[in-house]
Amino acid sequence: MDPTGMWFIRLAMSQYIITVVAKDGGQPSLSSENTISVTVSDVNDNRPEFSLSPYTFYVTEGNSPGASVFSVKASDRDENDNARISYHIIRDGSEDNKVTSFLNINTDNGEILALKSFDFETLKTFQFQVVASDSGTPSLSNNVTVNVFILDQNDNAPVILYPLSSNGSTKGVEEIPRNVNAGHLVTKVRAYDICERRLDCVINLKTVLENPLEIHYVTVEVVDINDHSPIFPEKEKRLEIFESTIPGARFQLQPARDPDGSQFSVHQYKLSHSDHFRLELKDRDDGKMPFLVLQKQLDREAAREHTLLLTAIDGGRPASDEGTIPLSTDKSVIIKVIDLNDNPPEIEVTSFSKSVPEDCRIGTTVALISVNDLDSGPSGKVSCFIPEDVPFAISPSLQDNMYAIVTKSLLDREERYFYELTVVAKDAGVPSLLSEKTITVAISDVNDNRPQFSVSPYIFYITENNDLGAQLFSVKASDCDDSDNARISYHVYRDNSEGSMALFLNINSESGDVTALKSFDFETLKTFQFQIVASDSGTPSLSNNVTVNVFILDQNDNAPVILYPLSSNGSAQGVEEIPRNVNAGHLVTKVRAYDADIGYNGWLLFSLQEVTDHSLFALDRYTGQIRTLRSFTETDDAEHKLLILVKDNGNVSLSATATVIVKLVEPKEAFAASDVKSAAKDDEDDNNVIFYLMITLGAVSVLFLVSIIVLIAMQCSKSTDYTSKYLPETNYDGTLCNSIQYRSGEKRYMLVGPRMSIGSTIVPGSHANTLVLPDRRCTSEEVRKALF
């Protein structure tokens, strides 16, 4: 058994090819693999097995001393030294084993030699044992019984007992009267043969009559009588026959011997009834030789042994009543059917869990199987295994032919929810037979996975003024588990803190659709955050939460508000007085407006809707400044009415109007000086344009080129990837630097039109239309760059 607790059977498989796969948990997963070859080294765990047990040999007497008379053969299923076999004869000094002193065995091949000739008249049968030992450490051995029967040869002449002369010759003289009648007993000749079978013999007698001149030689035939029963050399004969033997095979049996001769010798054999065997006789010089013939295929699983009765009958007719009373003897023939590996193992699942929880411990029993093989010996020894690439293993046999399939590693239903296990049973026969049985093991789910949201955190954009009860957005979570363990319900986490927007939200517990219980106003609330909890229906329930960031998108739902001019009664109308002698480009006034919306919705444009004389006044569409186009003449009217339209850039534009009445007054020195000073002061207060233009006029050419280069560099380095956050509550702060600006906290924001303000930065989420300015007034340099 290896350190992992797995049993290796070298006879089933002497080498295993194992592929080790290393896999990380990334998405997508990456893996690498390495192949390991495991060779199962041999252990001396098999004893030598003889090809037959016991062995039965027949040796004819008069064999040549030193010649091989028979041999035994054993095999070992191990390898190398563990399978190298040596043979020796057990010599225990018993009466039977005195004969073994005349036997020698070749230790390498099991060939047995007789050191002397056997003599049937001295020894008819003997028995001894041969031991086969392997060369393993420690050595294993097995022994087998060898039965030897000596067969008789006609190597002894008859011996005359009477007549016998004094000098030892077989010659005698009998005198009888001449006149004796027929049938007169002349003499009785006695003879015997060392063989147990007495031969018919012819004896020449010389009869001497009274007339010395007449000598007659008489031939006397010694007639045998049936006074002996046939005798088999052994009372029981055991044959071992492979069940694979083809019908028609013949097996020689030792004939019976009868001391009687002639017609009294063995004439007939009979075999008891058998469906598988029949008897066949073959004539030989010394009588009939019986053969057992296989006539039907053997099946060891149907019958392991066949017992037959062989009867030998002589042809005698004894003794007094002229009756036919042949003598007979019986011999049992026991046929042992040697197993052939012709039956594959049979696999039966005796107990089986169709599903196994994924959190079961290592070593949990999944199934019990029974493995049987109808064959015997090595052919009936079965090993059982399943593939190595599954988290299951077959434990060592619990009892005879019983195995358990157990878990050998942790299971994960989310990785694989079922396994088809192919159980292989393989016997140790040659050639080996195997059978397979496939069982399907389902991995049942355990609630070991929390719901996972598809995005974390969520970011949603909602346009203000949403309809109450309408779906705003939806969240989605999934669970790798199954059934109830994967059924998810949603709810909004409410911490009941003051100002929590979660109180105004509702979520469909099944679909994750979120609806609002109030309408949002961008000018009041621009962003909020809350959490959604997803819980599965397992026991115990597992949950997960996700943060949802909501940004309110502005709608153009606010019209521009005129801040200047503004009359005492609240109407957008004002009166401006200017000297008639002002030059072209004189700043008459500046229309100031504010829009609560932001972005394009809050980007204001100014236009002249009505004017009494288009040649006199011009309106900057981005700043709202009204300037003179030319000098006034004496023919120009003293009063001019300008109607200014202020509109935003929403998809559906909203607007407001302001009326400016410009009155021309006669120039006076003091008034003019005061007016010029006041106008200069206004310019300095608003944007310091004229003052700084005069100071920096000498350096315009150089700074202009530098500014152009810097501006191009800044434009090229701007990012166009903006993320999402709206600004806090804004506070309008005029339209300086050729743009619409407003303040929020410590930061100032500017809605940029075609003219970009240097030093400003783009607010993320504003679609490149909102700049963040330092908290200061525009410098003269910025004004100069904006103008030129």
Side-chain angles (χ1 to χ4, degrees):
M1 188 171 70
D2 78 334
T4 63
M6 295 296 295
W7 285 91
F8 288 108
I9 300 178
R10 189 193 63 79
L11 297 176
M13 189 175 293
S14 60
Q15 189 177 47
Y16 295 82
I17 304 298
I18 301 174
T19 301
V20 180
V21 180
K23 185 176 182 182
D24 62 24
Q27 294 292 335
S29 176
L30 300 178
S31 64
S32 62
E33 61 182 41
N34 192 15
T35 300
I36 301 174
S37 176
V38 179
T39 301
V40 182
S41 59
D42 185 41
V43 174
N44 192 25
D45 56 351
N46 291 279
R47 296 179 181 275
E49 296 288 341
F50 283 95
S51 57
L52 293 176
S53 180
Y55 280 96
T56 300
F57 296 108
Y58 298 91
V59 181
T60 304
E61 65 175 339
N63 56 291
S64 299
S68 173
V69 287
F70 43 80
S71 67
V72 296
K73 188 67 176 177
S75 61
D76 195 309
R77 292 188 296 158
D78 294 317
E79 285 186 345
N80 302 325
D81 286 346
N82 296 333
R84 191 165 65 249
I85 297 174
S86 60
Y87 304 88
H88 68 275
I89 296 173
I90 296 178
R91 309 180 195 271
D92 58 6
S94 63
E95 187 68 25
D96 286 340
N97 275 278
K98 289 181 180 179
V99 182
T100 61
S101 62
F102 302 104
L103 297 176
N104 196 12
I105 189 168
N106 188 314
T107 58
D108 293 329
N109 59 21
E111 193 174 64
I112 298 175
L113 298 83
L115 304 179
K116 74 168 199 173
S117 295
F118 295 112
D119 182 12
F120 176 81
E121 287 69 39
T122 304
L123 179 68
K124 295 178 174 57
T125 181
F126 64 93
Q127 183 184 78
F128 64 98
Q129 287 191 321
V130 174
V131 177
S133 304
D134 60 30
S135 302
T137 304
S139 175
L140 298 179
S141 63
N142 209 347
N143 56 7
V144 69
T145 298
V146 180
N147 296 306
V148 180
F149 295 94
I150 310 301
L151 300 181
D152 184 36
Q153 280 190 327
N154 190 20
D155 56 350
N156 291 282
V159 177
I160 303 297
L161 298 178
Y162 182 83
L164 191 64
S165 64
S166 59
N167 60 5
S169 64
T170 56
K171 180 178 180 182
V173 178
E174 295 290 339
E175 294 181 354
I176 59 173
R178 180 181 291 274
N179 59 347
V180 295
N181 296 324
H184 176 77
L185 176 63
V186 177
T187 188
K188 186 174 183 179
V189 179
R190 299 180 182 273
Y192 80 96
D193 194 313
I194 295 177
C195 299
E196 290 190 355
R197 175 184 177 274
R198 284 183 298 160
L199 302 176
D200 294 337
C201 55
V202 176
I203 301 176
N204 293 322
L205 298 177
K206 182 174 77 172
T207 303
V208 180
L209 301 180
E210 289 182 353
N211 186 353
L213 298 177
E214 296 183 12
I215 297 176
H216 298 271
Y217 289 90
V218 179
T219 299
V220 179
E221 181 180 2
V222 181
V223 180
D224 191 19
I225 64 171
N226 190 25
D227 55 352
H228 292 84
S229 296
I231 299 174
F232 282 104
E234 51 190 349
K235 293 298 294 180
E236 184 178 274
K237 173 66 176 176
R238 290 185 175 269
L239 295 177
E240 293 185 350
I241 304 176
F242 288 97
E243 63 177 330
S244 59
T245 305
I246 300 173
R250 300 163 74 246
F251 304 92
Q252 180 178 334
L253 302 176
Q254 285 300 311
R257 302 292 179 179
D258 194 325
D260 297 320
S262 187
Q263 76 271 19
F264 304 132
S265 62
V266 177
H267 279 206
Q268 186 179 2
Y269 291 91
K270 288 184 178 180
L271 185 68
S272 61
H273 175 73
S274 172
D275 292 332
H276 292 82
F277 295 92
R278 62 181 174 83
L279 187 65
E280 183 180 283
L281 300 177
K282 183 179 180 181
D283 290 327
R284 297 203 320 183
D285 293 341
D286 56 350
K288 294 184 180 295
M289 179 65 69
F291 288 88
L292 203 60
V293 181
L294 180 65
Q295 61 181 3
K296 182 180 179 181
Q297 185 82 39
L298 296 174
D299 184 359
R300 179 194 162 278
E301 288 66 47
R304 298 190 176 192
E305 219 173 55
H306 297 264
T307 301
L308 306 177
L309 187 63
L310 179 65
T311 304
I313 305 171
D314 65 19
R317 292 176 178 270
S320 62
D321 57 5
E322 299 296 327
T324 303
I325 308 177
L327 300 179
S328 64
T329 188
D330 296 329
K331 174 182 180 179
S332 295
V333 180
I334 299 176
I335 299 169
K336 180 181 179 182
V337 183
I338 300 177
D339 188 36
L340 172 70
N341 193 23
D342 58 346
N343 292 280
E346 297 177 353
I347 303 174
E348 181 182 358
V349 179
T350 59
S351 178
F352 175 49
S353 299
K354 291 187 177 179
S355 64
V356 181
E358 60 178 324
D359 64 344
C360 68
R361 294 181 298 177
I362 295 176
T364 299
T365 299
V366 175
L368 294 176
I369 59 174
S370 173
V371 181
N372 295 304
D373 196 312
L374 297 176
D375 297 317
S376 63
S379 300
K381 294 180 180 179
V382 181
S383 58
C384 200
F385 55 92
I386 59 177
E388 290 291 324
D389 58 350
V390 295
F392 301 94
I394 288 189
S395 68
S397 179
L398 305 176
Q399 54 186 359
D400 289 343
N401 302 324
M402 289 294 295
Y403 297 86
I405 298 177
V406 299
T407 57
K408 70 176 182 181
S409 60
L410 296 178
L411 303 176
D412 186 0
R413 189 204 66 85
E414 287 68 47
E415 180 179 340
R416 189 167 177 180
Y417 60 91
F418 80 96
Y419 291 87
E420 287 191 345
L421 302 182
T422 301
V423 181
V424 179
K426 185 176 183 181
D427 63 30
V430 180
S432 177
L433 298 179
L434 59 83
S435 59
E436 298 179 350
K437 191 175 188 67
T438 301
I439 59 176
T440 301
V441 179
I443 310 301
S444 60
D445 186 47
V446 172
N447 193 25
D448 57 349
N449 290 279
R450 297 179 181 274
Q452 297 294 325
F453 284 94
S454 56
V455 177
S456 182
Y458 279 97
I459 297 176
F460 295 106
Y461 298 91
I462 302 172
T463 305
E464 63 176 336
N465 304 319
N466 54 291
D467 295 332
L468 296 182
Q471 178 182 336
L472 299 179
F473 47 81
S474 181
V475 296
K476 189 66 177 178
S478 60
D479 197 308
C480 294
D481 293 319
D482 192 24
S483 303
D484 286 346
N485 296 333
R487 190 166 67 249
I488 298 174
S489 59
Y490 305 88
H491 68 273
V492 176
Y493 177 72
R494 293 181 171 88
D495 56 5
N496 296 322
S497 62
E498 186 177 354
S500 174
M501 291 305 299
L503 300 173
F504 302 99
L505 297 173
N506 191 27
I507 189 169
N508 186 310
S509 62
E510 295 182 356
S511 65
D513 296 337
V514 179
T515 57
L517 303 179
K518 65 172 285 186
S519 183
F520 298 109
D521 181 15
F522 175 81
E523 286 69 41
T524 304
L525 179 68
K526 293 177 174 56
T527 181
F528 64 91
Q529 184 184 81
F530 68 100
Q531 287 191 323
I532 293 177
V533 180
S535 304
D536 60 31
S537 302
T539 303
S541 176
L542 298 179
S543 62
N544 206 350
N545 56 7
V546 68
T547 298
V548 181
N549 296 306
V550 181
F551 296 95
I552 310 301
L553 299 179
D554 184 39
Q555 278 192 326
N556 193 24
D557 57 348
N558 291 281
V561 177
I562 304 298
L563 298 178
Y564 182 85
L566 196 63
S567 64
S568 58
N569 60 4
S571 63
Q573 181 173 325
V575 178
E576 295 289 338
E577 292 183 352
I578 61 173
R580 183 180 286 272
N581 62 347
V582 296
N583 296 323
H586 176 77
L587 177 63
V588 178
T589 187
K590 183 175 182 179
V591 178
R592 299 175 185 273
Y594 162 77
D595 195 314
D597 299 319
I598 69 167
Y600 284 105
N601 293 329
W603 183 14
L604 301 181
L605 296 177
F606 302 83
S607 64
L608 280 172
Q609 292 296 105
E610 296 180 11
V611 63
T612 54
D613 189 345
H614 288 284
S615 65
L616 283 176
F617 303 98
L619 175 66
D620 190 300
R621 64 177 305 185
Y622 301 112
T623 65
Q625 292 179 348
I626 301 175
R627 294 182 179 273
T628 58
L629 291 175
R630 62 178 175 82
S631 299
F632 295 100
T633 65
E634 295 296 330
T635 60
D636 290 330
D637 294 335
E639 185 176 299
H640 298 271
K641 181 180 180 181
L642 287 74
L643 181 64
I644 291 88
L645 176 67
V646 183
K647 66 176 182 179
D648 57 30
N649 268 299
N651 290 332
V652 179
S653 181
L654 300 178
S655 63
T657 58
T659 302
V660 177
I661 297 176
V662 180
K663 292 183 178 181
L664 302 180
V665 297
E666 290 302 324
K668 295 181 180 179
E669 292 299 328
F671 176 79
S674 175
D675 184 61
V676 169
K677 183 177 179 180
S678 177
K681 187 175 184 302
D682 287 340
D683 286 345
E684 182 181 0
D685 290 340
D686 289 340
N687 53 24
N688 299 318
V689 175
I690 297 175
F691 176 77
Y692 290 110
L693 283 176
M694 293 176 65
I695 295 176
T696 60
L697 187 60
V700 165
S701 58
V702 176
L703 293 177
F704 178 74
L705 294 175
V706 174
S707 300
I708 292 297
I709 294 172
V710 172
L711 181 62
I712 292 174
M714 292 180 63
Q715 292 292 331
C716 293
S717 64
K718 286 181 181 177
S719 171
T720 57
D721 183 18
Y722 307 104
T723 58
S724 61
K725 283 192 179 179
Y726 279 111
L727 304 174
E729 182 68 20
T730 60
N731 184 20
Y732 182 74
D733 192 36
T735 56
L736 296 177
C737 296
N738 302 320
S739 62
I740 301 173
Q741 306 177 35
Y742 59 91
R743 181 183 294 277
S744 175
E746 297 299 321
K747 295 184 179 180
R748 297 171 62 244
Y749 298 91
M750 177 173 66
L751 303 180
V752 180
R755 302 176 187 176
M756 298 292 292
S757 180
I758 303 302
S760 60
T761 58
I762 297 176
V763 177
S766 63
H767 302 288
N769 67 334
T770 302
L771 300 180
V772 180
L773 298 179
D775 191 14
R776 58 182 174 80
R777 293 289 180 172
C778 297
T779 64
S780 61
E781 180 69 14
E782 291 170 343
V783 174
R784 189 190 65 77
K785 292 177 180 178
L787 291 178
F788 295 100

